[in-house]
Amino acid sequence: MDVPPVPVSNGTALGHDVRFHYEQKNGVDGTLILKWHGGEDHIHDSQVVGITQNPQKTGKSEVQSQLILRVITSPSSSKSNKSSFALRTLPVTNLPQNYLERHVVTNTPEHLFVPSNGDGSPNLHVIVSIRSGIGEAQQYFNDVLSEALAAIDLDRSAYHVHLTESDRFVVEITEKIILPRANQGIEQTIVLLSGDGGIVDIVNVLLSASQSDKYVKPTIGLICMGTGNALANSVGLNRDATRGLSSIFRGTPRNIPAFTVRFSSGSVFLTDEGRRTESLPLQSGCGIVHGVVVCSWALHASLVADSDTAEYRKFGAQRFQMAAKELLAPDDGSAPHVYNGKITLYKADEKGQEISEEVPDTKTSYIVATMVSNFEENLRISPASTPLDGQLRVLRFGDIPGADIMRLIGMALRGGGHEKDDMAQYAAISGLRIQFEESDTRWRRVCVDGKIIRVEEGGWMEVRRSHKDVVNLVV
């Protein structure tokens, strides 16, 4: 019979005798309690990046010297809503076995120790998206990430720091450095301090290019600095206070599944808060955009587009709810817009053969095709989705009142149940197609992972699962 690890031990912290006690609630998150003569301290699991070990000889015996790395987050004290972060290290010995097993960095993370090139240039890249979310990435890198890497003997010469200089910066770095080296068979890791957009930029470049026989998938370690952080919340990277750093230190690389959206030839990107347009990459005469989170139309696409302004971004994730309220309850007192278009769903039948299914109602209030469970930390939009399962699912509401849309979204915010409601359509799909029947350009906007595409009048879009695997994510 196995004996459970003892949650109590006597050891040292900062050279002083300490009694450790590890308490867990419901077998999940816990707290390490340190008691010494005249004092006490608590370390919550959610703060811990990892524990490194360094056996040391003391006389004839060997002592396990350990270092606890944890992130301390201080809430904002200004109108910017920015938190401040700091890395704290605590040298200890003889931690409780069950606490050590939960947090130890068992092996040196291979994805962080990728070999440099012959000329000494590193293949470990740190991309700091200084404008992601509410602008916390730079401070997190300076005071947490760089210090954590130093704690495992990765100094500044071991990695290349890139500060984003424009909206296309990640695309350009991927085109000029990441893709060519991947095609040369060079192992690379990108620690990305951004939201979902940074991953989407990398995926779009890699999926749009051809891969050589030597191609080696780059690995991404994501530090969550975006507004919604849908991918991070869905795979569990944002479950603690380290913003994903604990997963980078203790996780394993896994493939990121993606989807491809084809657009009719007159479709364009909307940029600069909708004031400018850019051409889509073309393939066989169609616009092509790749994604890993969501392709949407109707209310979801409209609220993402309307809230993508400097003024709205000051409010963080709240900007989506603010925009949604304005769309569902217009200032002039009119009813919310109902979107018109023919929708075709592609599904597998009982024999696994693909069949098409036309949605009989051409009026839609809300529709998303997604590969993730959560759009925000508490917004569980697709309860059947599991991390990185690669399955597209559709959630659609037809022509229903704004109050019912808010009721269904409210259920999603409470963990689910909306997908079983009679007013919702929810299913696993292999793809979908929309033929737009809107004259006003405002109602022909599509969202692909935060990027906004305007489809021409009478145009169409089609989303399908991509079967090219081009990049890994540490989870």
Side-chain angles (χ1 to χ4, degrees):
M1 182 176 178
D2 292 335
V3 177
V6 178
V8 178
S9 66
N10 294 315
T12 63
L14 293 172
H16 301 288
D17 292 336
V18 170
R19 183 167 179 79
F20 298 108
H21 182 202
Y22 182 46
E23 293 184 349
Q24 276 185 290
K25 295 180 180 178
N26 304 319
V28 189
D29 287 337
T31 301
L32 180 68
I33 302 171
L34 300 78
K35 292 186 177 181
W36 61 91
H37 182 68
E40 182 175 313
D41 194 10
H42 293 199
I43 298 177
H44 300 288
D45 279 350
S46 63
Q47 300 174 318
V48 179
V49 173
I51 300 170
T52 62
Q53 297 194 90
N54 181 28
Q56 294 181 345
K57 286 283 187 180
T58 304
K60 295 182 179 180
S61 62
E62 186 178 89
V63 176
Q64 280 288 349
S65 175
Q66 295 134 357
L67 187 67
I68 301 176
L69 309 178
R70 58 172 169 160
V71 176
I72 305 299
T73 305
S74 301
S76 170
S77 58
S78 66
K79 293 181 180 180
S80 70
N81 293 321
K82 295 181 184 179
S83 299
S84 60
F85 309 95
L87 186 79
R88 296 285 183 264
T89 59
L90 180 66
V92 296
T93 61
N94 200 34
L95 287 167
Q97 189 62 28
N98 62 339
Y99 183 74
L100 192 59
E101 290 174 355
R102 184 174 177 86
H103 297 294
V104 70
V105 182
T106 50
N107 296 302
T108 299
E110 293 182 3
H111 51 270
L112 290 177
F113 286 82
V114 290
S116 296
N117 297 308
D119 61 2
S121 58
N123 287 308
L124 174 60
H125 301 273
V126 176
I127 299 179
V128 184
S129 181
I130 56 179
R131 290 187 290 185
S132 281
I134 55 176
E136 298 170 320
Q138 177 80 74
Q139 193 261 317
Y140 190 98
F141 168 74
N142 290 339
D143 297 337
V144 177
L145 179 59
S146 63
E147 298 295 322
L149 293 176
I152 56 171
D153 297 325
L154 284 171
D155 61 24
R156 289 292 184 96
S157 66
Y159 53 92
H160 190 161
V161 180
H162 309 269
L163 302 181
T164 58
E165 299 170 355
S166 69
D167 291 342
R168 283 188 50 81
F169 190 82
V170 176
V171 169
E172 292 167 356
I173 288 293
T174 308
E175 289 174 340
K176 295 176 181 178
I177 299 176
I178 307 301
L179 175 61
R181 291 183 186 180
N183 274 330
Q184 293 168 26
I186 296 173
E187 185 181 355
Q188 301 171 94
T189 293
I190 306 137
V191 179
L192 186 61
L193 291 86
S194 80
D196 296 326
I199 287 185
V200 173
D201 285 341
I202 294 171
V203 167
N204 266 276
V205 173
L206 299 181
L207 276 176
S208 298
S210 58
Q211 285 78 45
S212 73
D213 293 338
K214 296 181 179 180
Y215 185 85
V216 173
K217 288 195 292 183
T219 293
I220 296 175
L222 181 62
I223 305 291
C224 315
M225 289 290 154
T227 303
N229 297 307
L231 181 61
N233 283 313
S234 296
V235 301
L237 297 183
N238 214 17
R239 64 182 176 271
D240 61 29
T242 74
R243 298 287 186 100
L245 187 55
S246 61
S247 294
I248 293 175
F249 269 56
R250 292 181 272 141
T252 302
R254 287 182 58 188
N255 180 65
I256 303 177
F259 56 82
T260 297
V261 192
R262 296 169 62 239
F263 289 92
S264 49
S265 58
S267 303
V268 292
F269 281 122
L270 293 180
T271 62
D272 190 22
E273 301 184 4
R275 290 185 287 262
R276 296 193 305 162
T277 63
E278 293 180 7
S279 300
L280 301 185
L282 293 177
Q283 189 178 93
S284 302
C286 300
I288 297 289
V289 181
H290 306 284
V292 297
V293 174
V294 61
C295 175
S296 71
W297 176 50
L299 175 64
H300 183 269
S302 293
L303 70 88
V304 173
D306 289 352
S307 67
D308 190 20
T309 66
E311 185 62 31
Y312 265 120
R313 283 188 173 275
K314 295 176 184 177
F315 299 97
Q318 289 182 336
R319 69 187 176 101
F320 299 124
Q321 296 182 35
M322 295 166 65
K325 288 179 180 178
E326 292 180 11
L327 287 162
L328 292 172
D331 291 338
D332 61 6
S334 62
H337 183 74
V338 179
Y339 300 72
N340 290 282
K342 293 179 181 178
I343 299 173
T344 303
L345 304 179
Y346 302 106
K347 301 179 178 180
D349 64 14
E350 296 176 353
K351 297 180 181 179
Q353 299 297 311
E354 185 176 89
I355 58 173
S356 62
E357 176 185 295
E358 287 195 11
V359 176
D361 183 6
T362 61
K363 295 183 181 300
T364 295
S365 298
Y366 182 99
I367 184 168
V368 296
T370 184
M371 282 184 167
V372 303
S373 59
N374 288 51
F375 285 178
E376 299 173 21
E377 183 177 3
N378 297 315
L379 182 57
R380 194 167 181 79
I381 207 73
S382 178
S385 297
T386 58
L388 305 176
D389 65 6
Q391 176 63 62
L392 266 175
R393 290 179 169 84
V394 63
L395 176 68
R396 174 183 173 272
F397 309 151
D399 182 3
I400 64 175
D404 283 309
I405 296 173
M406 292 301 290
R407 176 180 62 83
L408 292 170
I409 296 299
M411 294 171 72
L413 284 164
R414 294 188 294 274
H418 59 290
E419 77 281 6
K420 300 175 183 177
D421 193 280
D422 291 341
M423 289 187 171
Q425 180 180 11
Y426 181 62
I429 58 172
S430 55
L432 69 79
R433 181 184 177 93
I434 300 174
Q435 181 74 43
F436 297 93
E437 297 181 345
E438 290 281 0
S439 58
D440 191 330
T441 58
R442 188 182 181 195
W443 312 127
R444 286 186 266 111
R445 293 176 297 179
V446 171
C447 171
V448 179
D449 289 4
K451 297 183 183 300
I452 304 301
I453 298 93
R454 187 185 68 204
V455 180
E456 78 273 25
E457 189 170 357
W460 55 268
M461 58 143 280
E462 184 173 296
V463 57
R464 295 276 188 168
R465 164 81 160 91
S466 173
H467 294 287
K468 287 173 68 176
D469 298 334
V470 295
V471 68
N472 290 325
L473 177 68
V474 183
V475 297

